[in-house]
Amino acid sequence: MADRKGFTKYNIQYGLILRSPIGHSKLLGFNLPNLDKSFFILKGEDLEGNNSISFIDGDIPIFASGEIAYKGQPLLALFGTDFESVEIALSKITPITEPIDEESGPTEFIEPYEYSFGKEQIPSDEELSKMRKTESEFTFNATLFSNPYRYATYAWLDGKGITIESPSQWEEPIRKNVSYHTGISENLIEIINQKHFSKRDEYLITPVIFSVIAAIAAKKTGLPTRMRSVARAARPQFKIKKTTYFDEEGNMAFEDADMSVDQGAYPIAPHELQRQAMAGLLPLYRVGRFRGRVSILKSFNAPASFSGGLGYPEASAASSVHISKLPMKNTLTPIQYFDSFDSGSTKFNDILPSIDISEYQDSIEKISELSSYNRKWMTNSLMKSEFGLMGNIRGIGFAMAVGIAGFSTTFAKHSPFEAQITYTQKHNISLNTSGSSSRDIEYWKSIIENEIVEKKGSEGAFIFIERSSDTIDSGPDTLNRFTSCLTPQLKEAAMKIDSIKDKEKPPISIRFKVENPNSPCEFEPSGFGAEIIELSISEYSYKPVVRNIWATLNLDNVINTKDVKERIKRHILLTLEECGAVLSNTCKINLSIVDHNKNDGILSSIVAIAKSMTMGAFLNALKQATGKESPELPTGAVNIESLLSGRSNEN
Amino acid sequence: MKIECVIDGKMLSLNLNSNKPLSLVLQEDLDNSTVNAHCRGRLCGLCAVLMDNEAVLSCMVPAFELNEKEIRTFETFQKERSMRDIERAYDEVGVKPCETCYQSRSIIIESLSNKLLERPNTPSEQIISELSVIDCSCMDTEDMLKIVKRVTDLKRRRNVRRS
Ligand code: FES
């Protein structure tokens, strides 16, 4: 634990947040009880024109002021001499509110992003109306996740500076926003990052708000401050529709994809979300022409966090669900259908370079055989058409996904994220980066050792610079940002240092950017995965019970197979939890990995692949078990019961 | 209410509200950094501690039950030899719990492996149902079972060597 200067049990002020019990409404004031001098309140009005934090390209209010934007929004902070008395006092404070009559549905936040590619022209509406088509829809509802862990945020003044202690996936916005709100210069702000594990990017935005509140309170009162909270993260709502039109010969002539994303009250990085989502909508087979559209909506829901993937996994899962609908007859299973035509490589486009799925056919075959997918799929389909309502409630689903890692080229180009490598006077190597994951740092060390240390012939010549206020901001710890976007540039810088270190006098420093100038498309494909999930619907609880999982992944630059396998398993299970599935007691993940050592050093994004393929395979299995074309996620007993009762024999 | 108990090896005499749950006593009165969960009865299972060697959910234990009990939290348990056995089993099976449930899961594994050592015929279903008290799906059941069995095995072997 950090050395918390000046902390004694008697001088700390303890702070808690009052959150709004209701959604969108006017906030007229508060009913306050009589509070003695030991309490201190911080509200939106106290922050005069300064009541927000900036995060990437948007502003998020610290406290609601004048209007409540969503249920759960922070309204005020109360500080006192211990948590128990603050909790009691807080329970006596109520907001005075008034309903707002105006329309409160989601509204378009920015211009929709449209992208189209292909040799053929986009058919006219009249032409489209004459073509045979396959349509599929997918909805992932907005959900609020709160980590049961209560974490603490500390702030204490230290001479002219201030120290903040908090778990954080990105320290830089804490430093910037604390500096802005307290007037303390950035280099006098020390941040101690507490150990944390983020399931849904819950330590990305909330800790910034809490750090700012704690810092303001510490500055105003001069007392060390401790705040307590659970980390919350909301995921956006996704609605995706894909339609494929076939020409007279049965070729896929045109594919149209439409996706809308409701990011809640304060959309974060909406343009990047549009690009990431568009990558997931691209077909993994050849079509004459593709057209995609991604709209971003703003609503009065809790502001959505990154949720581990900025729309790519959901879009990619929707594409998998669509693929499984393409075989129009029940005589072919989705895998057999995919096998039966020469899908060829996809066309190189601005979003992704050409991808050839047939390269992975062997891996797909292998899990198909291991799971007896074709036989089970056929049996389930036949049973479903033969028996009535609750006759067969089993399903088997297949999905595949291409991984993309990190931010898009456009986002990286406009981002200030950097890192620096230095060959020191003592012939050591130091790194200056805000990246905090020990796994990522280890990987970078191994690259540097390969490029410089080994050639130099001495081991252990590596130093990792300790965190200080001069630490360079390398961006948020999410979306594989560290090991994908920065690694090629790190490798290049290390090679350059190796070539000049004997000619120039050290120290030699090279600062490198997150932008990869050699990348021709928005994203680099990194890895591929295919998964089969077998489930049944519990006749008692109506919950989807996952019985078995088979997965195969082709990854680039696997460093530690054991560690990678463990992470894949974990993300498969976490995704299933997010989808509303339960695991049977005998559920087993049969996992295989193929490693491709690529020269660029980019690590495959395990989260993107695991989430995409798991969501897709689960949806396809659920579709077969319930007999409904578009089940919604996350699924629950009520949802499934209604699906089963309105069950059709469509497939 | 005055309560006397041993927590993490320290004899304590505490003045507590008799209904205050042990989890909050640890968090608020003793500044224990290894019990952080507070799910308000949603049974997250992330607050396990060892009470007289048996895993309990600390949010379910009111202060008045602590009298004359011995509590071990992950703060001391992580330094014990048993934890090294558990880490070894994680390593051998090739999975370990995520950081969210690592502490609680390890404590429950410790308690179950002790039980299994005493009663080797405990049915797997019973072990599974006790393991599933943790509401975190970062591991599948088969792996969890393998870990409990492996830890029990390591303990058994050591006991044999000692005798
Ligand atoms: S805090 Fe969740 S079960 Fe104890």
Side-chain angles (χ1 to χ4, degrees):
Chain A
M1 200 201 295
D3 177 22
R4 298 181 191 128
K5 263 195 206 157
F7 270 62
T8 73
K9 222 176 159 74
Y10 308 101
N11 73 351
I12 306 179
Q13 55 182 348
Y14 294 86
L16 293 173
I17 290 282
L18 176 71
R19 290 184 179 273
S20 172
I22 54 168
H24 188 212
S25 45
K26 267 189 205 147
L27 177 63
L28 305 175
F30 295 94
N31 290 315
L32 295 173
N34 276 335
L35 297 171
D36 67 42
K37 274 194 186 145
S38 62
F39 289 100
F40 162 60
I41 295 186
L42 205 56
K43 302 195 287 292
E45 304 91 88
D46 306 332
L47 305 176
E48 296 150 19
N50 236 350
N51 179 24
S52 63
I53 58 145
S54 62
F55 194 88
I56 305 187
D57 49 6
D59 288 345
I60 302 173
I62 298 173
F63 298 115
S65 180
E67 192 173 306
I68 295 169
Y70 62 95
K71 190 175 170 185
Q73 185 172 16
L75 300 179
L76 56 78
L78 181 67
F79 298 87
T81 50
D82 61 87
F83 278 131
E84 262 175 288
S85 62
V86 175
E87 208 163 349
I88 293 167
L90 206 62
S91 67
K92 293 181 187 147
I93 302 178
T94 48
I96 307 166
T97 58
E98 207 174 73
I100 293 178
D101 297 333
E102 67 198 58
E103 179 57 53
S104 61
T107 49
E108 216 150 71
F109 182 62
I110 51 168
E111 279 280 294
Y113 170 42
E114 291 192 12
Y115 180 68
S116 160
F117 74 90
K119 281 202 299 274
E120 313 298 330
Q121 289 291 315
I122 296 178
S124 67
D125 286 351
E126 202 196 325
E127 285 168 322
L128 288 177
S129 67
K130 288 180 193 145
M131 290 164 106
R132 179 166 72 81
K133 64 176 182 183
T134 297
E135 260 177 337
S136 61
E137 279 178 55
F138 170 90
T139 303
F140 205 124
N141 289 313
T143 43
L144 189 64
F145 163 80
S146 70
N147 194 324
Y149 267 129
R150 296 211 287 197
Y151 72 93
T153 307
Y154 298 85
W156 65 94
L157 297 170
D158 194 356
K160 285 184 182 155
I162 191 165
T163 305
I164 306 287
E165 187 188 323
S166 169
S168 166
Q169 284 174 262
W170 191 11
E171 294 169 18
E172 214 42 38
I174 294 185
R175 194 186 310 284
K176 286 212 158 66
N177 284 291
V178 166
S179 170
Y180 178 73
H181 285 276
T182 57
I184 298 172
S185 114
E186 281 185 36
N187 58 8
L188 293 175
I189 298 172
E190 192 189 335
I191 295 168
I192 298 165
N193 201 344
Q194 284 170 11
K195 216 173 151 200
H196 60 276
F197 171 61
S198 174
K199 272 188 175 180
R200 320 249 196 278
D201 286 333
E202 64 272 24
Y203 294 112
L204 199 56
I205 304 172
T206 330
V208 182
I209 298 182
F210 273 75
S211 299
V212 169
I213 298 173
I216 295 173
K219 178 95 191 297
K220 284 205 170 186
T221 59
L223 295 174
T225 303
R226 176 178 170 177
M227 297 197 63
R228 196 179 69 190
S229 172
V230 290
R232 297 147 62 101
R235 46 171 307 136
Q237 183 182 62
F238 298 96
K239 282 183 186 260
I240 305 162
K241 186 175 176 187
K242 282 194 114 180
T243 315
T244 304
Y245 294 86
F246 296 84
D247 63 18
E248 276 156 14
E249 279 99 59
N251 300 317
M252 292 180 229
F254 175 57
E255 187 161 301
D256 202 13
D258 196 6
M259 175 165 180
S260 74
V261 186
D262 177 355
Q263 280 198 283
Y266 306 105
I268 295 289
H271 294 100
E272 179 62 2
L273 195 155
Q274 287 178 317
R275 288 185 286 268
Q276 301 253 352
M278 187 63 81
L281 292 176
L282 298 179
L284 291 175
Y285 38 82
R286 264 184 215 206
V287 286
R289 179 128 206 134
F290 166 82
R291 179 178 65 188
R293 180 186 150 101
V294 182
S295 318
I296 301 291
L297 308 177
K298 181 184 157 116
S299 70
F300 296 106
N301 289 331
S305 194
F306 278 30
S307 295
L310 273 185
Y312 176 79
E314 290 76 9
S316 170
S319 297
S320 277
V321 173
H322 188 67
I323 289 175
S324 72
K325 269 198 87 177
L326 291 176
M328 303 290 280
K329 292 180 214 122
N330 274 354
T331 46
L332 283 183
T333 72
I335 292 186
Q336 283 170 336
Y337 173 76
F338 207 73
D339 247 0
S340 70
F341 67 85
D342 173 21
S343 57
S345 348
T346 59
K347 207 172 162 337
F348 180 96
N349 57 70
D350 299 328
I351 314 276
L352 276 173
S354 170
I355 300 166
D356 187 359
I357 296 294
S358 60
E359 275 180 37
Y360 308 112
Q361 213 76 36
D362 286 350
S363 305
I364 297 176
E365 272 312 306
K366 214 165 115 192
I367 55 166
S368 167
E369 261 168 44
L370 271 176
S371 61
S372 306
Y373 172 83
N374 290 327
R375 178 181 59 77
K376 287 179 184 166
W377 193 94
M378 282 294 182
T379 315
N380 288 341
S381 296
L382 281 172
M383 299 266 288
K384 195 165 56 189
S385 45
E386 302 235 326
F387 299 100
L389 216 51
M390 292 293 288
N392 183 52
I393 43 178
R394 279 176 180 274
I396 189 160
F398 162 76
M400 55 188 172
V402 169
I404 58 163
F407 301 123
S408 66
T409 310
T410 307
F411 185 80
K413 199 172 178 171
H414 297 110
S415 300
F417 312 142
E418 292 179 321
Q420 179 173 291
I421 177 170
T422 302
Y423 186 64
T424 68
Q425 272 164 326
K426 291 189 174 170
H427 306 277
N428 284 318
I429 292 122
S430 71
L431 262 180
N432 187 339
T433 170
S434 65
S436 59
S437 143
S438 53
R439 189 182 284 123
D440 294 349
I441 300 288
E442 281 312 309
Y443 179 51
W444 271 22
K445 278 185 184 181
S446 73
I447 288 186
I448 294 170
E449 272 165 17
N450 257 341
E451 298 302 332
I452 308 177
V453 182
E454 267 181 18
K455 288 185 188 163
K456 202 177 89 169
S458 65
E459 286 295 319
F462 180 78
I463 301 174
F464 179 66
I465 286 188
E466 290 233 341
R467 290 294 144 70
S468 75
S469 47
D470 294 327
T471 301
I472 297 172
D473 180 15
S474 307
D477 196 2
T478 185
L479 297 176
N480 228 22
R481 167 263 319 167
F482 199 71
T483 45
S484 59
C485 297
L486 284 159
T487 301
Q489 287 80 270
L490 165 86
K491 215 174 163 188
E492 223 178 284
M495 281 157 73
K496 193 158 177 203
I497 285 193
D498 189 54
S499 67
I500 57 173
K501 70 179 192 310
D502 299 326
K503 297 172 204 144
E504 286 179 23
K505 212 173 145 218
I508 309 165
S509 289
I510 298 181
R511 207 159 165 138
F512 50 95
K513 289 180 184 300
V514 71
E515 181 198 357
N516 181 354
N518 303 322
S519 176
C521 304
E522 285 291 8
F523 299 98
E524 273 298 309
S526 69
F528 171 86
E531 186 171 333
I532 291 173
I533 287 180
E534 190 179 13
L535 58 77
S536 62
I537 307 293
S538 159
E539 291 182 36
Y540 307 103
S541 66
Y542 288 116
K543 284 187 180 158
V545 184
V546 173
R547 308 258 160 219
N548 261 310
I549 302 166
W550 296 266
T552 174
L553 282 93
N554 289 255
L555 300 174
D556 305 332
N557 305 308
V558 175
I559 313 284
N560 176 342
T561 312
K562 214 169 169 182
D563 176 62
V564 166
K565 277 193 169 181
E566 184 191 320
R567 285 170 60 215
I568 295 168
K569 280 187 174 185
R570 184 179 292 175
H571 285 290
I572 288 177
L573 295 171
L574 288 176
T575 307
L576 286 172
E577 182 188 51
E578 234 182 304
C579 291
V582 288
L583 297 187
S584 85
N585 281 345
T586 51
C587 176
K588 194 175 160 204
I589 303 179
N590 305 275
L591 180 64
S592 65
I593 293 182
V594 182
D595 179 13
H596 301 281
N597 278 316
K598 278 205 187 161
N599 224 1
D600 55 9
I602 296 179
L603 295 189
S604 296
S605 171
I606 285 167
V607 186
I609 301 176
K611 274 192 101 162
S612 309
M613 64 184 194
T614 304
M615 229 181 256
F618 177 71
L619 261 173
N620 278 330
L622 194 63
K623 254 174 56 179
Q624 196 177 45
T626 58
K628 269 286 169 197
E629 281 310 329
S630 24
E632 292 183 8
L633 293 183
T635 190
V638 179
N639 184 346
I640 299 230
E641 199 181 344
S642 71
L643 283 175
L644 286 173
S645 51
R647 190 169 149 142
S648 70
N649 278 339
E650 58 187 308
N651 184 29
Chain B
M1 179 183 186
K2 202 160 173 208
I3 281 146
E4 296 194 340
C5 57
V6 178
I7 297 184
D8 284 332
K10 285 183 208 132
M11 286 266 289
L12 298 172
S13 174
L14 301 164
N15 215 339
L16 296 169
N17 175 336
S18 61
N19 280 327
K20 190 167 184 173
L22 171 59
S23 57
L24 290 186
V25 173
L26 292 166
Q27 288 173 33
E28 291 175 0
D29 299 277
L30 301 172
D31 221 357
N32 184 303
S33 57
T34 59
V35 177
N36 299 311
H38 186 62
C39 66
R40 294 178 193 270
R42 277 188 300 149
L43 273 184
C44 68
L46 299 175
C47 61
V49 298
L50 292 163
M51 184 154 98
D52 289 345
N53 268 329
E54 208 172 301
V56 290
L57 293 178
S58 59
C59 68
M60 302 283 176
V61 181
F64 67 82
E65 275 197 22
L66 295 177
N67 240 339
E68 293 177 15
K69 293 281 184 346
E70 200 216 331
I71 309 293
R72 268 145 71 220
T73 73
F74 196 75
E75 201 152 284
T76 45
F77 179 67
Q78 62 185 321
K79 297 172 200 144
E80 291 176 16
R81 175 168 208 146
S82 303
M83 188 58 213
R84 289 208 292 281
D85 287 341
I86 295 174
E87 275 165 354
R88 187 167 155 192
Y90 289 155
D91 204 47
E92 286 177 11
V93 176
V95 283
K96 61 173 182 299
C98 68
E99 286 82 340
T100 302
C101 66
Y102 192 88
Q103 304 170 348
S104 212
R105 193 140 4 219
S106 302
I107 287 213
I108 290 173
I109 289 170
E110 163 70 3
S111 172
L112 283 173
S113 60
N114 287 340
K115 215 180 253 181
L116 211 54
L117 205 58
E118 272 172 32
R119 277 170 273 139
N121 294 331
T122 310
S124 294
E125 292 74 43
Q126 194 181 327
I127 302 171
I128 290 168
S129 88
E130 293 198 28
L131 279 169
S132 55
V133 78
I134 294 181
D135 185 19
C136 175
S137 16
C138 64
M139 290 170 104
D140 65 24
T141 320
E142 197 183 83
D143 287 340
M144 282 194 289
L145 255 183
K146 272 192 208 157
I147 290 166
V148 175
K149 288 186 175 157
R150 183 65 190 129
V151 174
T152 314
D153 208 38
L154 288 169
K155 283 184 174 170
R156 189 175 297 127
R157 277 195 211 172
R158 204 174 30 251
N159 289 351
V160 169
R161 255 183 271 136
R162 267 202 214 124
S163 57

